[in-house]
Amino acid sequence: MQNDNFSETTPIPVAPLKVAALEGCLDLARKTDTHLVELRRNRIISQSMPIEFKGYKSESYLLKCHCPRFGSGEAKGVVKESVRGVDMFAMVDVGNYSLTYSVCGHENHMSPDDHYQDLKRIISASVAHAKRVNVIMPFLYEGRQHKRTKRESLDCALALQELINMGVNDIITFDAHDPRIDNAIPLHGFDNYMPPFQFIRALLEVDKDLKIDNEHLMIISPDEGAMNRAVYFSNVLGVDMGMFYKRRNYSTVVNGKNPIVAHEFLGSNVKNKDVIIVDDMISSGESMLDVAKQIKDRGAGKVIVCATFGLFTDGFEKFDEYYDNGYINYVITTNLTYRNPKLTERPYYIEADMSKFIALIIDTLNHDFSTEPVLSPTERIKALVRDYGEGRF
């Protein structure tokens, strides 16, 4: 993490900072804005030679903008204040289905396509005069359609190229379903950040009885795609890991995917060990719950599910049932995408707040600092675990 105490050689920001938050991302953006204000206020107070820069110290960095709709359902992007010469970060949550709009008297819930179009509208209203335009899209639009099999569209790649062609400087996302999608824009900025530090901190704040060593804890990957996440967790925590692989029925398609026939486990004995299952998202949760049950049936202690995005497309009833039956102890997701308010009422749910991390990313990029210290949280995780083990957390 970069030093907050500037020296005389520290570069000033690229341009005055503004955060253009679309309506679906306002809650997260407001929390992020609060951290940005605090970060810069404290930094300036601590300096004997404060940076003289227009708008550096502000009560808020949020840009006034919105996308009103006509009765036909068509929309336009409106920016209500000048963006000339600013370093703009447009924040969008393409997964916020709670917002609605009227189409000829009928109520429609906003889809990812609607949010993406609104993002382009705000960009088109700003890009001509802003110094830079960056996009913060925590849940990557069409990120699950990242590769082509047979005659299919490559939606995510097309969207990234479209944003770059509109003049976007950098695209920031979190835990991309397949980070290799950045090959679609190889000459432009694509930053993919991960939340392991926030997961571990959120868990340790709630559970004071975990023993983080190879004898008592194990990391599980629910499928082949989550292996990199599990390997990182196991290495940084110094514990063993295992994985499941999915046997699918490729002769049929249900809800756009080949149904899972069985989960097969590869790994050492989990009996009496607490287990952390890590993945990028919980969609319906079917495969994650099946993995949790199999782990519990093998004699595991606590079963903790960590997923960056909690979509819960089929509701919470199945998770409630598995919690009541003792198959899961905690479910941890971030606040990077919309979650049904009923989720926070669940006794097993833990939120990993990402707003401070986003504020740090924005501040780092606005100063053109290297993002390498932000990308790699290894030392912070080790310090956190050490403090926890010594009773200082």
Side-chain angles (χ1 to χ4, degrees), residues 364-381:
T364 300
L365 295 175
N366 182 235
H367 285 92
D368 262 352
F369 282 119
S370 169
T371 58
E372 184 62 30
V374 183
L375 278 167
S376 178
T378 301
E379 294 306 317
R380 285 184 291 156
I381 293 173

Side-chain angles (χ1 to χ4, degrees), residues 83-98:
V83 294
R84 188 175 298 276
V86 307
D87 191 17
M88 191 180 92
F89 290 79
M91 292 182 64
V92 59
D93 177 12
V94 299
N96 191 338
Y97 59 87
S98 70

Side-chain angles (χ1 to χ4, degrees), residues 17-31:
L17 174 63
K18 283 294 182 180
V19 177
L22 277 76
E23 186 180 358
C25 205
L26 267 179
D27 288 343
L28 179 61
R30 285 171 179 148
K31 290 182 179 180

Side-chain angles (χ1 to χ4, degrees), residues 296 320-328:
K296 198 68 176 181
D320 295 343
E321 176 188 337
Y322 273 56
Y323 172 73
D324 292 338
N325 291 333
Y327 294 126
I328 57 173

Side-chain angles (χ1 to χ4, degrees), residues 334-377:
T334 70
N335 58 343
L336 289 171
T337 192
Y338 174 77
R339 293 143 301 135
N340 189 315
K342 293 180 180 179
L343 176 62
T344 60
E345 302 170 1
R346 264 50 188 183
Y348 50 81
Y349 180 68
I350 302 173
E351 177 188 284
D353 183 17
M354 300 295 289
S355 58
K356 190 172 184 178
F357 188 30
I358 295 175
L360 178 61
I361 293 168
I362 291 173
D363 185 67
T364 300
L365 295 175
N366 182 235
H367 285 92
D368 262 352
F369 282 119
S370 169
T371 58
E372 184 62 30
V374 183
L375 278 167
S376 178

Side-chain angles (χ1 to χ4, degrees), residues 58-355:
S58 176
E59 293 301 313
S60 175
Y61 299 96
L62 293 179
L63 181 72
K64 295 177 182 176
C65 62
H66 72 135
C67 293
R69 289 187 178 267
F70 302 100
S72 62
E74 297 168 295
K76 62 179 178 179
V78 179
V79 176
K80 295 185 176 181
E81 55 186 288
S82 174
V83 294
R84 188 175 298 276
V86 307
D87 191 17
M88 191 180 92
F89 290 79
M91 292 182 64
V92 59
D93 177 12
V94 299
N96 191 338
Y97 59 87
S98 70
L99 301 181
T100 61
Y101 62 94
S102 178
V103 180
C104 299
H106 300 280
E107 183 180 69
N108 269 19
H109 283 265
M110 288 191 70
S111 70
D113 292 341
D114 292 320
H115 288 292
Y116 176 63
Q117 292 299 324
D118 279 356
L119 170 66
K120 292 195 295 181
R121 291 178 177 115
I122 294 301
I123 292 171
S124 67
S126 312
V127 72
H129 301 295
K131 176 76 173 180
R132 289 194 317 195
V133 173
N134 310 280
V135 169
I136 300 178
M137 187 186 293
F139 187 69
L140 190 61
Y141 173 70
E142 294 288 1
R144 300 172 78 177
Q145 185 53 22
H146 58 95
K147 62 183 178 181
R148 172 180 286 158
T149 58
K150 301 181 181 178
R151 292 177 292 277
E152 295 181 339
S153 59
L154 282 171
D155 297 56
C156 188
L158 285 172
L160 294 179
Q161 291 178 356
E162 186 174 20
L163 293 176
I164 293 301
N165 290 336
M166 290 183 71
V168 170
N169 183 75
D170 199 9
I171 297 171
I172 298 110
T173 192
F174 290 81
D175 204 351
H177 190 67
D178 187 342
R180 292 173 297 181
I181 195 64
D182 66 354
N183 291 330
I185 49 172
L187 301 181
H188 298 273
F190 181 89
D191 294 325
N192 180 40
Y193 295 92
M194 306 295 285
F197 175 77
Q198 287 75 18
F199 279 152
I200 295 171
R201 183 177 62 185
L203 175 61
L204 298 186
E205 284 176 348
V206 172
D207 194 324
K208 302 300 181 182
D209 298 323
L210 281 178
K211 294 182 180 179
I212 305 176
D213 58 48
N214 204 39
E215 298 298 319
H216 300 92
L217 185 65
M218 191 171 180
I219 308 298
I220 298 293
S221 171
D223 55 36
E224 309 94 306
M227 276 293 292
N228 287 340
R229 301 175 187 90
V231 168
Y232 179 80
F233 264 85
S234 65
N235 285 341
V236 76
L237 295 178
V239 300
D240 199 5
M241 70 156 287
M243 69 160 288
F244 282 82
Y245 71 91
K246 298 174 181 176
R247 284 201 293 115
R248 294 182 179 271
N249 180 2
Y250 287 99
S251 65
T252 185
V253 175
V254 178
N255 294 327
K257 57 186 179 182
N258 303 110
I260 299 168
V261 176
H263 285 98
E264 306 292 351
F265 181 64
L266 300 173
S268 58
N269 192 357
V270 300
K271 188 174 178 61
N272 298 325
K273 288 186 178 182
D274 295 332
V275 168
I276 299 177
I277 307 171
V278 293
D279 206 354
D280 62 332
M281 71 176 69
I282 296 172
S283 185
S284 66
E286 174 188 350
S287 61
M288 189 73 85
L289 290 173
D290 185 52
V291 166
K293 183 178 184 301
Q294 289 202 41
I295 288 293
K296 198 68 176 181
D297 289 344
R298 284 174 165 83
K302 296 176 183 176
V303 175
I304 301 150
V305 173
C306 291
T308 306
F309 303 104
L311 308 182
F312 298 97
T313 56
D314 287 353
F316 312 116
E317 290 74 15
K318 200 71 175 178
F319 282 85
D320 295 343
E321 176 188 337
Y322 273 56
Y323 172 73
D324 292 338
N325 291 333
Y327 294 126
I328 57 173
N329 295 82
Y330 302 112
V331 175
I332 307 174
T333 74
T334 70
N335 58 343
L336 289 171
T337 192
Y338 174 77
R339 293 143 301 135
N340 189 315
K342 293 180 180 179
L343 176 62
T344 60
E345 302 170 1
R346 264 50 188 183
Y348 50 81
Y349 180 68
I350 302 173
E351 177 188 284
D353 183 17
M354 300 295 289
S355 58

